[in-house]
């Protein structure tokens, strides 16, 4: 295998490129060479891109077994995804937003009481144009924000979800928690420290207060680690936010964020967070069969707009 780092002035993922045409066996051999050092390598490099191994979807399962020690279901996930059959346990499509939209930088499930430690992305169908997955050093993101914003968020973030019962805007509680059992939802939420209430229409409102930053359990690095900007109405874009405001009162939006005391997060804070995230990100362009493994605490990710087809699968582990 050949390894090299990007010439980017700041951080960029480590790239490991296949020798001799690659293939799933070559990738498995590469991962065997790395062996038990994968965790240490990932903590140091933060993200690893495996190029030109030409893995196919039907070869993915044993590869993911090596990259992700305990694949997780997307329980309490907030973005629209589809669980994929025939490629192994707990593999999902990446967020199913229209191709013309940018998905801003975020750490997966940073709004939750527990989140995946690792994510693996697999390009099954490369985009016709665009469609890169930008990745971002979370410590750089934190440093790039104005001191005023860092201070304002020092008390944390309050996330509010309104999940419908099968008909409405956003996701249903059944899709979100991957169950039809109210008892299982209640058990999960009670263990998460969230406040919740069932509504008369069969939906549920969930309120969670979480920190705005996190420290990596191995390196101790502090990173920007929240989704306040994505859940905030401004994060929807002015046009979409305006349309929703005509249909729903603020406390009935599918998701929203405030500061923990209920005071609003200024729109200009949200815009700076998003702009700083995309400005500091490094684009990972996709070729069919490529994989990327990221440390979900140290690295945020997003999606650039694309044309044509694009199918990137994702799996997660603790």
């Amino acid at each position: 295998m050949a390894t090299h780092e990007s010439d980017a002035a700041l951080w960029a993922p480590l790239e490991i490129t296949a020798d001799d045409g690659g293939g799933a066996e070559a990738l498995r051999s590469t991962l065997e060479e790395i062996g038990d050092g994968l965790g240490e390598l990932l903590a140091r490099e933060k993200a690893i891109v495996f190029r030109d191994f030409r893995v196919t979807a039907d070869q993915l399962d044993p590869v993911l077994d090596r990259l992700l020690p305990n694949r997780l279901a997307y329980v309490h996930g907030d973005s629209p995804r589809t669980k994929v059959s025939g490629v192994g346990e707990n593999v999902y499509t990446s967020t199913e937003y229209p191709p013309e939209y940018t998905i801003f930088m975020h750490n997966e499930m940073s709004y939750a009481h527990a989140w995946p430690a690792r994510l693996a992305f697999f390009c099954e169908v490369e985009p016709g144009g665009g469609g890169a997955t930008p990745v971002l050093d979370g410590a750089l993101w934190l440093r790039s924000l104005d001191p005023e914003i860092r201070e304002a968020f020092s008390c944390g973030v309050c996330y509010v979800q309104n999940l419908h019962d099968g008909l409405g805007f956003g996701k249903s509680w059944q899709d979100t928690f991957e169950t039809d059992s109210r008892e299982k939802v209640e058990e999960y939420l009670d263990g998460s420290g969230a406040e919740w209430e069932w509504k008369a229409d069969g939906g549920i409102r969930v309120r969670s207060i979480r920190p705005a930053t996190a420290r990596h359990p191995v390196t101790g690095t502090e990173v920007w680690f929240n989704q306040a900007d994505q859940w905030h109405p401004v994060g929807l874009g002015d046009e979409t936010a305006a349309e929703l405001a005509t249909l729903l009162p603020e406390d009935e939006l599918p998701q929203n964020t405030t500061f923990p005391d209920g005071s609003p997060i200024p729109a200009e804070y949200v815009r700076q967070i998003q702009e700083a995230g995309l400005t500091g990100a490094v684009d990972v362009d996709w070729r069919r069969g490529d994989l990327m493994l990221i440390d979900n605490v140290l690295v945020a990710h997003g999606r650039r707009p694309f044309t044509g087809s694009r199918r990137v699968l994702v799996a997660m582990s603790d």
Side-chain angles (χ1 to χ4, degrees), residues 94-208:
S94 55
T95 300
E96 296 172 351
Y97 284 165
E100 65 269 22
Y101 286 98
T102 296
I103 297 177
F104 288 96
M105 308 309 296
H106 62 286
N107 303 79
E108 202 65 48
M109 296 184 68
S110 56
Y111 53 83
H113 73 294
W115 48 81
R118 297 180 184 179
L119 306 179
F121 299 87
F122 167 71
C123 180
E124 184 177 10
V125 178
E126 65 184 79
T133 294
V135 288
L136 171 66
D137 182 337
L140 170 64
W141 197 4
L142 178 61
R143 293 194 304 270
S144 70
L145 299 174
D146 287 348
E148 177 185 348
I149 292 179
R150 297 199 299 268
E151 176 61 28
F153 279 89
S154 63
C155 57
V157 180
C158 177
Y159 299 91
V160 180
Q161 284 177 291
N162 288 291
L163 302 170
H164 60 77
D165 190 31
L167 184 63
F169 293 100
K171 294 180 71 174
S172 69
W173 62 262
Q174 294 93 335
D175 286 341
T176 297
F177 296 103
E178 295 194 358
T179 182
D180 292 323
S181 167
R182 286 191 173 205
E183 290 75 16
K184 289 183 179 179
V185 173
E186 292 170 5
E187 180 181 2
Y188 175 91
L189 291 174
D190 286 342
S192 75
E195 299 175 1
W196 55 271
E197 60 175 331
W198 293 105
K199 302 195 295 184
D201 62 4
I204 188 170
R205 177 178 287 116
V206 181
R207 183 177 182 271
S208 310

Side-chain angles (χ1 to χ4, degrees), residues 242-295:
E243 288 177 0
L244 268 181
T246 65
L247 299 171
L248 295 170
E250 186 172 332
D251 64 353
E252 291 294 334
L253 292 172
Q255 53 193 37
N256 197 1
T257 50
T258 67
F259 290 119
D261 63 1
S263 59
I265 297 172
E268 59 267 27
Y269 287 6
V270 174
R271 294 189 180 99
Q272 187 195 134
I273 291 165
Q274 292 184 329
E275 289 169 5
L278 287 177
T279 298
V282 176
D283 282 355
V284 175
D285 293 311
W286 290 111
R287 295 191 289 269
R288 184 179 180 184
D290 286 350
L291 290 102
M292 176 168 62
L293 181 68
I294 71 171
D295 185 304

Side-chain angles (χ1 to χ4, degrees), residues 18-87:
D19 292 328
D20 302 324
E25 286 299 328
L27 180 53
R28 283 197 289 269
S29 177
T30 296
L31 294 175
E32 285 175 3
E33 288 180 36
I34 298 171
D36 293 338
L38 180 61
E40 181 181 345
L41 180 65
L42 185 61
R44 183 174 70 247
E45 301 293 343
K46 306 174 188 175
I48 306 169
V49 180
F50 298 92
R51 291 282 191 201
D52 299 331
F53 286 91
R54 299 183 178 86
V55 175
T56 58
D58 62 339
Q59 301 169 325
L60 187 60
D61 192 38
V63 172
L64 290 180
D65 281 345
R66 292 185 176 274
L67 294 175
L68 304 174
N70 180 34
R71 267 179 267 169
L72 302 173
Y74 189 52
V75 175
H76 202 185
D78 68 319
S79 65
R81 302 179 188 271
T82 302
K83 184 176 278 191
V84 181
S85 61
V87 293

